[in-house]
Amino acid sequence: MDDAGEIHAFGRSLRRESSVWSRGGEELFSRSSRDEDDEEALRWAALEKLPTYDRARTAVLAMPEGELKEVNVEKLGAQEKHALLQRIAWVGDDHERFLSKFKDRVDRVGIQLPTIEVRYDNLNVEAEAYVGSRGLPTILNTYANVLEGLANALHLTQNKKRKISILHNVSGIIKPHRMTLLLGPPGAGKTSLLLALAGTLPSSLKMSGDIIYNGHTMDEFVPRRSAAYVSQHDLHMAELTVRETVNFSAKCQGIGHRFDLLMELSRREKEENIKPDPEIDIYLKAAATGEQKAEVVTNHILKVLGLDICADTLVGNNMLRGISGGQKKRVTTAEMLVTPGRALFMDEISTGLDSSTTFQIVNSIRQTIHIIGGTAVIALLQPAPETYELFDDIILLSDGQVVYNGPREHVLEFFKSMGFKCPERKGVADFLQEVTSRKDQGQYWINSDETYRYVPVKEFAEAFQSFHVGQAIKSELAVPFDKNGSHPAALKTSQYGASMKELLKANINREVLLMKRNSFVYIFKATQLTIMAIIAMTVFLRINMHHDSVTDGGIYMGALFFGILMIMFNGLAEVGLTIAKLPVFFKQRNLLFFPAWTYTLPSWLIKTPLSLLNVTIWVGITYYGIGFDPNVQRFFRQFLLLFLMNEASSGLFRFIAGLARHQVVSSTLGSFCILIFMLTGGFVLARENVKKWWIWGYWISPLMYAQNALSVNEFLGHSWNKTIPGFKEPLGNLVLKSRGVFPDTKWYWIGAGALLGYVLLFNILYTVCLTFLDPFDSNQPTVSEETLKIKQANLTGEVLEASSRGRILRMGAMMNQLPIMQQ
């Protein structure tokens, strides 16, 4: 939730802006109220007498049988909840009508909704990459990159990466109540600009310049909660349905200022004796209070985006059948539209969508922006003409420079002043993306009395600064935004949108759901363990097992070692399950859905019953079948040790997956750790035989503590408490000493304590990895020398032309030599 100070500031600002309802408005309300049903009027009269706090949580609900019922939206029964969702279903069907009604209700009592104006001045973004053959993804380059990275970290060598400019001196203003279209050819820097404006630019990119929200710099608030960035990559949990995916996002991002707005609305309407629209009233109360608030917003967004027809279909992936690519793109959009953030930065949301669907989505966003007063920048690659007409402003990027930034009405005027004209049957958006291209620019040249020459991006950018639109933006940027005019609820200062308890609950519910959807994996693992337990029991069958010599004890110790090994291998599946979910986790973590510990804690605790089940299967089948000590106390002690070993191995493999963040690397490290622990565990090689330079591996091996504790538990039992000829010590002690195990009862509890410590250690390290590490990126950018020269030439205004021999010549020099050649 937002900070308490912000809430109080919000309420004070609303009271300052209050206005008295006009006499004419009261008469209009009186005329409309006379037409209401008598029973409903009585219900509303009783509702108006309630205190503001209770009134904000109480609504008049029409039940399916026609009965009007006064309900508390925070404590709804199943039937009441169903009736509520049915009553407000119209909101998604008629989005514009809902927004208009909501705005009328807010305007009626003089409440000003929060808006955001984004300014960016002299914004520069740079990246570092290897150029030429050094950047090719070869095995030699991969090892060279790793070694060079280590040498650079130790300041032994210089960094051989070259700096590449992505955005260069970009400036502009994005105003509320206006739709802004971001255009540009691939590689123009659109994604980097959106990431920078939304405050989600990767740390690998270096940014300079100013980005200001309502006069506040980005260190004065939390930009990733005040704005919403919609990525062009569709990363979702394949096992969840569309509704569950969007609903989880709504729960994590919270309700923002909706509850504060509802309280202020209720207070003012009561003061001025205004009856609100029943449909809008019940929707606002349902969306701001009660357990169903996330579901209400989710249903609304799903209908607006046309996802209600597939709401209960799994999202799916390459291995699991689900929704189509276009629907998946809309799910990505819906996931961020439920955010209470007032600024939207949307990257290529039309990929995979037909022009009609794109138009409907953009039109719905346009209605929200124009009526409610949001801020939106949407990057589209090739928008249809009717979609293009929905936007108010245009930002045209090319080679990291702003070619045009201003009202849509003046964009063709600017290019005409430069000597280029859009043909009548040509889409304006297509024209804008081709007019800066070296290949396509010439076809739009209209100055027939002048010889055409390629106009570089640098020249367009400089001409725009002299154009009247560019001059107006420059003048406006020179005057700082008045911070006092910023609404207290516009910018978020709390890091997360809900309390830690609510975030933990949401992650727990999702983890339980994912376990149900992946039940086949866990059933298969349990079946596999059952088969292996039966095989182990028949191999070490008790009718062939004796307790008469040290050799017999070695066989029993081998059975214990095999059991530990099987339990440890059983946790290896955690690597694949964890890696599969990491891309979605990193996306949601970076968007401040939740802190890492609320994700890692459920993934550990929720799977504890599965560990109990697996250990129960193994111990239940093998303990008495193999013929271990029949004492029931020792049975449960072995159960406890194997349970802790299962938890430790699962935590270890989760930690390895979080550290490596790559399927192949994680699997390799997991297998490597198993082999190392086997070698240093004290069974393959007894403690006395371990070399002194490897003895540290013996003492840190979880398998050693499990082996020692289980051995002590077994061989200090009654079955081994007998002497054999030639020895005074019990047989159990002889067996333990022969394998380098300390024959002391306390070693059972030392082993149990050590395994419990490893359980906590591995899960804490897993949490630390997911908190601080970024996604493993194996796609290193590859830039050729020629491409880098072209980029640098575009920044300086030089024109490069490739000759037939492949050499790069300066066009300016060629033009200067032309008169000499003609002579």
Side-chain angles (χ1 to χ4, degrees):
M1 290 292 181
D2 294 330
D3 293 338
E6 181 181 336
I7 294 175
H8 293 314
F10 176 82
R12 289 195 302 269
S13 69
L14 295 179
R15 294 185 184 94
R16 287 198 301 267
E17 298 157 4
S18 62
S19 61
V20 180
W21 180 248
S22 64
R23 185 67 180 174
E26 291 179 351
E27 293 172 357
L28 177 63
F29 171 73
S30 300
R31 290 195 298 272
S32 62
S33 63
R34 286 195 293 269
D35 299 331
E36 297 290 335
D37 181 77
D38 292 340
E39 182 182 358
E40 186 173 358
L42 291 174
R43 297 272 186 185
W44 275 104
L47 191 63
E48 290 172 357
K49 296 179 181 178
L50 295 174
T52 301
Y53 183 85
D54 296 331
R55 189 184 182 200
R57 291 164 172 76
T58 309
V60 177
L61 181 63
M63 303 301 290
E65 57 272 12
E67 174 192 1
L68 287 175
K69 189 175 182 181
E70 191 175 300
V71 296
N72 185 338
V73 292
E74 284 191 330
K75 301 176 182 178
L76 294 177
Q79 186 179 9
E80 294 171 343
K81 184 178 179 181
H82 178 73
L84 173 66
L85 295 176
Q86 289 294 321
R87 175 75 184 273
I88 61 179
W90 68 272
V91 171
D93 296 327
D94 196 345
H95 185 59
E96 186 173 12
R97 172 172 164 253
F98 161 72
L99 293 175
S100 299
K101 281 191 168 188
F102 169 71
K103 190 65 166 62
D104 290 342
R105 180 181 179 184
V106 170
D107 291 342
R108 183 183 295 182
V109 292
I111 291 179
Q112 180 183 353
L113 295 175
T115 58
I116 292 177
E117 178 180 292
V118 182
R119 298 186 176 198
Y120 51 101
D121 191 16
N122 293 326
L123 185 63
N124 295 274
V125 175
E126 288 184 342
E128 291 185 344
Y130 293 108
V131 177
S133 61
R134 185 70 172 80
L136 296 176
T138 63
I139 296 177
L140 182 61
N141 283 342
T142 300
Y143 284 106
N145 293 345
V146 173
L147 294 176
E148 185 177 315
L150 293 175
N152 291 338
L154 297 174
H155 302 286
L156 300 177
T157 61
Q158 292 183 347
N159 191 353
K160 295 182 180 179
K161 290 183 177 181
R162 305 273 290 276
K163 291 185 177 181
I164 300 175
S165 177
I166 300 177
L167 295 176
H168 180 69
N169 288 338
V170 175
S171 301
I173 300 175
I174 302 169
K175 296 185 177 181
H177 294 279
R178 297 183 69 82
M179 288 279 286
T180 302
L181 173 62
L182 179 58
L183 289 174
K190 301 190 297 295
T191 298
S192 297
L193 176 60
L194 293 174
L195 288 171
L197 294 179
T200 57
L201 195 70
S203 57
S204 58
L205 300 179
K206 297 181 180 179
M207 187 190 78
S208 61
D210 299 321
I211 299 178
I212 298 175
Y213 280 53
N214 287 358
H216 296 268
T217 57
M218 283 196 163
D219 56 352
E220 298 179 38
F221 63 100
V222 183
R224 283 180 286 179
R225 284 208 56 234
S226 304
Y229 171 71
V230 180
S231 172
Q232 58 181 311
H233 304 294
D234 304 321
L235 299 174
H236 306 290
M237 296 286 188
E239 298 85 0
L240 298 182
T241 65
V242 171
R243 190 189 307 276
E244 291 162 352
T245 301
V246 181
N247 192 43
F248 177 79
S249 175
K251 288 179 178 179
C252 290
Q253 297 187 80
I255 60 173
H257 68 276
R258 286 198 294 265
F259 179 73
D260 308 315
L261 175 62
L262 176 63
M263 292 291 290
E264 190 66 19
L265 269 173
S266 299
R267 185 189 65 81
R268 293 194 183 188
E269 287 171 343
K270 184 176 182 180
E271 288 178 354
E272 303 190 22
N273 195 26
I274 298 174
K275 176 187 173 183
D277 184 288
E279 293 177 328
I280 298 297
D281 183 70
I282 196 170
Y283 175 84
L284 290 181
K285 291 175 179 177
T289 60
E291 295 182 355
Q292 78 294 325
K293 55 180 178 287
E295 188 175 352
V296 169
V297 178
T298 298
N299 291 344
H300 179 193
I301 297 299
L302 291 181
K303 281 204 171 187
V304 168
L305 296 180
L307 291 171
D308 52 318
I309 59 174
C310 61
D312 298 314
T313 305
L314 296 180
V315 174
N317 56 15
N318 295 335
M319 301 298 293
L320 182 64
R321 186 175 181 179
I323 58 177
S324 67
Q327 290 171 332
K328 197 172 294 185
K329 175 60 66 177
R330 280 181 276 169
V331 172
T332 305
T333 303
E335 199 175 28
M336 296 310 299
L337 285 184
V338 295
T339 178
R342 303 294 298 174
L344 293 175
F345 300 97
M346 314 177 80
D347 192 5
E348 301 290 356
I349 63 171
S350 61
T351 305
L353 302 180
D354 57 83
S355 58
S356 175
T357 305
T358 303
F359 175 83
Q360 293 173 4
I361 294 174
V362 174
N363 188 44
S364 298
I365 298 173
R366 178 177 180 269
Q367 292 167 357
T368 304
I369 298 301
H370 282 185
I371 297 175
I372 303 300
T375 304
V377 180
I378 304 177
L380 299 176
L381 188 59
Q382 289 179 316
E386 58 273 14
T387 303
Y388 173 82
E389 296 293 329
L390 294 175
F391 290 90
D392 305 298
D393 295 323
I394 304 295
I395 298 177
L396 179 59
L397 278 181
S398 185
D399 288 320
Q401 301 180 75
V402 172
V403 176
Y404 180 84
N405 182 2
R408 175 173 52 86
E409 296 79 12
H410 300 301
V411 64
L412 294 181
E413 176 191 347
F414 166 69
F415 283 101
K416 193 172 183 180
S417 68
M418 296 291 295
F420 299 95
K421 182 179 180 181
C422 178
E424 292 183 1
R425 296 187 179 182
K426 183 76 174 182
V428 179
D430 295 334
F431 162 76
L432 294 177
Q433 295 188 108
E434 294 176 0
V435 72
T436 59
S437 168
R438 184 187 305 271
K439 178 182 177 182
D440 302 313
Q441 187 185 87
Q443 61 183 311
Y444 303 116
W445 181 256
I446 59 172
N447 294 338
S448 56
D449 54 337
E450 297 181 17
T451 304
Y452 165 74
R453 67 173 182 84
Y454 173 68
V455 179
V457 175
K458 177 73 172 178
E459 192 169 329
F460 278 117
E462 291 176 348
F464 175 69
Q465 298 300 320
S466 303
F467 192 60
H468 65 87
V469 176
Q471 291 286 343
I473 292 177
K474 189 184 298 183
S475 301
E476 194 167 353
L477 283 173
V479 181
F481 188 95
D482 184 11
K483 289 185 178 182
N484 297 326
S486 177
H487 198 289
L491 305 179
K492 310 300 179 186
T493 55
S494 59
Q495 191 169 10
Y496 298 103
S499 64
M500 293 297 108
K501 179 181 177 181
E502 291 176 334
L503 295 177
L504 182 61
K505 181 180 178 182
N507 274 289
I508 289 175
N509 292 337
R510 184 176 69 167
E511 192 64 34
V512 171
L513 201 56
L514 289 172
M515 280 184 58
K516 291 179 181 178
R517 301 281 163 78
N518 289 319
S519 58
F520 173 77
V521 176
Y522 302 110
I523 293 173
F524 179 82
K525 285 174 59 183
T527 304
Q528 180 188 33
L529 197 64
T530 302
I531 295 173
M532 291 305 300
I534 294 173
I535 293 174
M537 180 190 68
T538 55
V539 169
F540 299 98
L541 195 61
R542 65 182 299 165
I543 60 175
N544 297 321
M545 301 282 283
H546 305 285
H547 302 74
D548 301 329
S549 65
V550 175
T551 304
D552 293 337
I555 296 175
Y556 272 95
M557 192 170 286
L560 291 174
F561 177 75
F562 182 74
I564 296 171
L565 211 57
M566 284 307 305
I567 292 297
M568 193 169 187
F569 269 108
N570 197 54
L572 190 59
E574 286 295 323
V575 170
L577 294 172
T578 302
I579 288 292
K581 296 186 292 185
L582 281 185
V584 179
F585 162 78
F586 283 122
K587 181 191 79 169
Q588 295 178 342
R589 183 203 67 178
N590 293 338
L591 293 173
L592 297 182
F593 276 33
F594 47 76
W597 70 267
T598 62
Y599 172 83
T600 58
L601 189 62
S603 65
W604 165 32
L605 296 180
I606 297 301
K607 293 179 181 177
T608 300
L610 292 176
S611 296
L612 289 171
L613 174 63
N614 292 332
V615 175
T616 300
I617 291 173
W618 182 266
V619 177
I621 293 175
T622 63
Y623 192 86
Y624 290 107
I626 291 176
F628 292 118
D629 192 273
N631 189 306
V632 68
Q633 184 180 8
R634 298 191 182 277
F635 171 87
F636 284 110
R637 283 186 175 185
Q638 185 180 114
F639 179 91
L640 174 62
L641 255 298
L642 290 178
F643 168 71
L644 291 174
M645 187 65 206
N646 196 343
E647 287 290 287
S649 64
S650 297
L652 169 65
F653 294 123
R654 277 194 293 268
F655 162 58
I656 290 174
L659 179 65
R661 295 152 288 154
H662 190 276
Q663 181 66 53
V664 176
V665 179
S666 300
S667 300
T668 304
L669 281 177
S671 303
F672 176 77
C673 286
I674 290 178
L675 293 175
I676 293 297
F677 290 154
M678 284 174 58
L679 287 174
T680 60
F683 180 80
V684 176
L685 204 62
R687 176 169 55 89
E688 291 84 354
N689 298 325
V690 178
K691 300 299 181 183
K692 60 181 180 180
W693 55 81
W694 267 109
I695 197 66
W696 61 269
Y698 173 84
W699 289 110
I700 68 169
S701 173
L703 197 144
M704 180 276 288
Y705 289 99
Q707 181 73 34
N708 281 11
L710 287 177
S711 299
V712 168
N713 180 62
E714 171 63 23
F715 293 105
L716 294 184
H718 178 73
S719 299
W720 301 91
N721 189 20
K722 56 184 178 181
T723 58
I724 58 176
F727 295 94
K728 295 182 180 180
E729 289 186 90
L731 177 59
N733 285 22
L734 295 176
V735 175
L736 293 175
K737 289 182 177 180
S738 69
R739 301 303 305 171
V741 179
F742 299 99
D744 196 336
T745 307
K746 68 180 181 180
W747 267 94
Y748 173 85
W749 298 110
I750 291 174
L755 288 177
L756 180 60
Y758 275 120
V759 172
L760 298 176
L761 175 65
F762 290 142
N763 283 285
I764 290 173
L765 289 176
Y766 173 52
T767 304
V768 171
C769 287
L770 295 193
T771 302
F772 297 104
L773 296 181
D774 291 324
F776 184 85
D777 185 14
S778 59
N779 297 321
Q780 299 295 331
T782 302
V783 181
S784 65
E785 289 283 357
E786 184 175 346
T787 302
L788 183 60
K789 289 181 179 179
I790 292 175
K791 283 183 171 292
Q792 291 174 345
N794 287 333
L795 293 179
T796 58
E798 293 177 329
V799 183
L800 303 180
E801 186 71 26
S803 69
S804 59
R805 296 183 182 179
R807 294 179 290 111
I808 302 296
L809 301 176
R810 280 176 168 70
M811 179 62 81
M814 293 176 62
M815 296 299 291
N816 292 334
Q817 293 176 4
L818 186 59
I820 301 175
M821 294 172 61
Q822 290 176 345
Q823 292 176 0

